[in-house]
Structure formats: structure tokens, C-alpha cells
């Protein structure tokens, strides 16, 4: 789940819906300045499906020990530093299931999802927020994923440059979707620098705009402006006091669609 808030409500977005938005950004990518990465179809598949493992868990949402909806928030964009708020063994299981499910459909896409997962758990993670009893499981999971990646890469005969470009593209689309879904309210460069058609590595800056929209500079998308619909649920903060009442409030929440707009900066 991804969580934003007002004074009275939580705005909740499922991980699969967030991933679908990331996939729509991937589909919109490419213009006179930026090409799409190749091979595009497996990379696209990875973007759309990188959070499929959350489908069941988001359908049965949980609360943190402090009673908040267990979710990703804008405070965590670019830095996973709240492992004390999640059940790490369950989190690792979800991540492992997501990789396996994608790999069963498309092995290259599965490697990219695994690379993304390992990056979240290493480069972007604050290990100090992982409880000591869970750190061996964390280390073992990361090692197993990296070993699996190497084995699959050798089987498929994939060049490291192809995987790195696909991984960076997946992370950029994921990062852009997380910025939008969490209501991030400060300018932020998308993850990684991205090659333009001349081979120059470019930083792409995402900046909040009016009416909840964002601008991108330089502009990497095909159309001059992109407007999409994001499914959300709003749950009143006073509508639950324990896990059962929270799940009931979530299941009864009306599905709404928030307009998401991107334009050139």
C-alpha cells in the first residue's frame, strides 16, 4: 500500500495500481530527445508487474505497531528507512514471490525485478532500522537473489549493459509513480541518469506543479502533456481503531480516480 494523508483521511493506493501507473509512464516514454530502452517488451513487462507480489497483501491490509496503515509514504521516496514499521519476513516473502511470478512469464523481466528488489534492500535501505534478529534473513535473501540473477543472466546470454539499462528504466518509472502516488511535494531528480539519443547521460528533474500535477525537465515523453487516472481509496482516520475495523473501512471505501498530469518543465 502507498499512503498519503490529509487532516481527516488516509489516501491509500495499492502497489499493483502504483505499478500500473509506472507502466503507463513506460508506455509514454520516448521522443526526439529520448529513445525507449531495448528490448522494450520485457522491460515494459517488468515495470507493469514489479509489484504483483503485493496483490494479496494489499487486499488484506495491515497496521503498523503504532496503529497507522502499513504503507509506503512520501517520507520514504528514495530511502527505505522504516523497516521497523513492517513485518520484514512477510515483506521479503512478497518480494520473492513477485520476482518468481514475473520470471515465470518472462525471465528477463524477472531479473530486472530482482535487481530492483535487491537495490531497494541494499543501496536504498537504512539497515539500522532492521531489527537485529531479522538481519540474517535480510542478508540471506539478498545473496540468494543475486545468485539467481547471475545464473539466469548466464542462461539467457544477456549483456550486463542491457540489464543495467532496463533496471535503471524500471527504477525511473517506479520512482516517478511513487512521487505522484505519495504526493511528494519537492523537486526531485528521477532515479539514475538516462541516455539521450546522442548518448549524453541526462538527469530528469520532477517538479510539483499546480493542481497536483508535475513537470519533467528535460521532457522524456512522447506527447506534449500526459494525463492519466489513478485509483485511490480514502479512509477516514476516525473510522477504525484496530486491524479488523481498519480492514472493514478499507473494503468499504469507495474506489475513486484521481487525475495525474505531467507536462514539460
Amino acid at each position: 500500500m502507498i499512503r498519503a494523508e490529509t487532516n481527516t483521511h488516509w489516501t491509500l493506493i495499492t502497489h499493483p495500481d502504483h505499478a500500473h501507473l509506472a507502466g503507463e509512464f513506460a508506455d509514454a516514454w520516448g521522443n526526439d530527445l529520448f529513445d525507449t530502452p531495448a528490448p522494450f517488451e520485457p522491460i515494459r513487462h517488468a515495470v507493469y508487474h514489479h509489484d504483483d507480489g503485493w496483490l494479496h497483501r494489499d487486499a488484506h491490509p495491515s497496521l503498523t505497531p503504532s496503529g497507522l496503515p502499513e504503507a509506503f509514504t512520501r517520507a520514504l521516496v528514495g530511502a527505505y528507512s522504516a523497516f521497523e514499521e513492517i513485518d520484514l519476513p512477510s515483506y521479503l516473502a512478497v518480494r520473492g514471490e513477485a520476482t518468481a511470478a514475473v520470471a515465470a512469464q518472462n525471465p528477463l523481466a524477472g531479473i530486472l525485478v530482482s535487481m530492483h528488489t535487491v537495490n531497494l534492500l541494499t543501496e536504498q535501505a537504512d539497515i539500522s532500522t532492521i531489527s537485529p534478529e531479522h538481519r540474517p534473513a535480510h542478508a540471506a535473501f539478498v545473496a540468494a537473489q543475486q545468485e539467481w540473477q547471475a545464473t539466469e543472466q548466464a542462461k539467457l546470454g544477456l549483456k550486463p549493459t542491457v540489464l543495467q539499462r532496463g533496471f535503471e528504466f524500471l527504477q525511473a518509472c517506479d520512482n516517478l509513480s511513487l512521487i505522484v502516488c505519495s504526493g511528494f511535494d519537492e523537486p526531485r531528480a528521477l532515479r539514475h541518469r538516462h541516455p539521450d539519443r546522442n548518448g549524453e547521460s541526462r538527469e530528469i528533474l520532477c517538479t510539483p506543479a499546480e493542481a497536483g500535477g508535475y513537470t519533467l525537465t528535460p521532457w522524456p515523453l512522447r506527447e506534449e502533456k500526459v494525463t492519466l487516472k489513478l485509483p485511490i481509496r480514502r479512509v477516514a482516520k476516525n473510522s477504525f481503531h484496530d486491524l479488523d475495523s481498519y480492514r472493514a473501512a478499507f473494503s468499504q471505501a469507495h474506489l475513486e480516480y484521481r487525475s495525474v498530469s505531467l507536462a514539460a518543465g
Side-chain angles (χ1 to χ4, degrees):
M1 203 74 66
I2 298 167
R3 183 184 82 216
E5 70 175 302
T6 66
N7 289 334
T8 59
H9 286 76
W10 299 113
T11 297
L12 301 170
I13 299 161
T14 69
H15 278 88
D17 284 338
H18 137 71
H20 190 273
L21 182 66
E24 291 182 301
F25 292 150
D27 284 340
W29 192 279
N31 56 23
D32 291 341
L33 182 59
F34 290 95
D35 198 359
T36 53
F40 185 66
E41 281 306 313
I43 294 172
R44 175 183 184 271
H45 187 87
V47 177
Y48 265 101
H49 297 283
H50 71 273
D51 275 343
D52 278 7
W54 291 97
L55 186 61
H56 176 76
R57 188 170 178 84
D58 278 1
H60 302 83
S62 298
L63 294 173
T64 69
S66 59
L68 302 179
E70 185 182 273
F72 181 98
T73 68
R74 68 185 185 184
L76 303 181
V77 173
Y80 285 73
S81 57
F83 285 102
E84 70 274 10
E85 287 197 359
I86 66 173
D87 175 8
L88 186 64
S90 296
Y91 178 85
L92 296 179
V94 165
R95 287 292 180 187
E97 290 166 5
T99 296
V102 174
Q105 299 177 56
N106 190 303
L108 194 162
I111 296 174
L112 298 180
V113 172
S114 179
M115 291 172 69
H116 172 64
T117 295
V118 167
N119 184 264
L120 294 178
L121 291 168
T122 55
E123 181 183 321
Q124 296 188 59
D126 181 354
I127 305 300
S128 70
T129 63
I130 299 177
S131 61
E133 65 267 26
H134 288 155
R135 290 178 192 175
H138 169 270
F141 179 87
V142 168
Q145 288 290 308
Q146 291 173 326
E147 182 179 358
W148 179 83
Q149 291 169 24
T151 299
E152 291 301 304
Q153 179 183 344
K155 283 182 185 177
L156 297 173
L158 295 169
K159 294 181 179 179
T161 53
V162 170
L163 291 177
Q164 187 65 23
R165 177 67 187 118
F167 157 73
E168 291 178 354
F169 183 75
L170 162 59
Q171 288 217 308
C173 294
D174 171 67
N175 190 215
L176 179 54
S177 179
L178 288 174
I179 287 170
V180 170
C181 291
S182 66
F184 199 77
D185 56 359
E186 297 178 3
R188 183 176 184 86
L190 298 187
R191 287 197 64 80
H192 309 290
R193 299 176 69 89
H194 298 272
D196 64 19
R197 290 182 181 271
N198 295 321
E200 181 181 350
S201 182
R202 308 287 291 265
E203 179 182 86
I204 299 175
L205 183 66
C206 180
T207 304
E210 295 180 358
Y214 292 85
T215 64
L216 298 176
T217 310
W219 182 242
L221 306 183
R222 190 172 304 110
E223 304 296 333
E224 292 183 0
K225 183 176 181 180
V226 173
T227 301
L228 302 168
K229 297 293 185 183
L230 176 65
I232 67 170
R233 290 174 175 83
R234 295 192 308 129
V235 175
K237 291 180 177 179
N238 63 2
S239 65
F240 61 91
H241 57 273
D242 58 18
L243 180 58
D244 287 342
S245 60
Y246 168 55
R247 287 179 172 173
F250 178 81
S251 66
Q252 293 165 12
H254 178 65
L255 187 64
E256 306 172 33
Y257 289 88
R258 190 176 86 197
S259 180
V260 173
S261 64
L262 297 174

